[in-house]
Amino acid sequence: MRILYFAWVKQRVGVAEEELSPPPEVRDVAGLIDWLAVRSPGHAEAFANRKTIRAAVNQDFAGPDHPVAVGDEVAFFPPVTGG
């Protein structure tokens, strides 16, 4: 699974992307966030407030219950506003 991080999420995690193999029990975006949050102090800081994180799976916006699978690209980023 390819995990991408953008903006302050990337700064806190310390990398722009990772290739990871989550365990089989990680089945959705929320489970992936839970799993990532314990990988390092930077991950924990980035995912400490779930309300400030948005996700996309295979370049489509995705909510916490959206499924994830091997081979997916999952991006995490702060909320985006337009103007």
Side-chain angles (χ1 to χ4, degrees):
M1 187 178 296
R2 184 174 179 210
I3 312 295
L4 306 175
Y5 305 103
F6 294 94
W8 58 259
V9 182
K10 175 176 76 172
Q11 291 173 337
R12 292 177 184 165
V13 170
V15 296
E17 66 180 74
E18 300 181 284
E19 288 286 337
L20 300 172
S21 297
E25 59 269 16
V26 173
R27 295 186 177 122
D28 57 22
V29 170
L32 181 60
I33 289 172
D34 290 342
W35 182 73
L36 289 170
V38 297
R39 288 186 49 79
S40 75
H43 287 84
E45 183 181 353
F47 294 108
N49 184 353
R50 310 292 166 92
K51 292 180 181 180
T52 61
I53 296 284
R54 298 295 179 263
V57 177
N58 299 321
Q59 300 183 5
D60 289 323
F61 284 108
D65 60 345
H66 191 285
V68 295
V70 173
D72 281 347
E73 177 187 88
V74 183
F76 292 104
F77 47 91
V80 183
T81 61

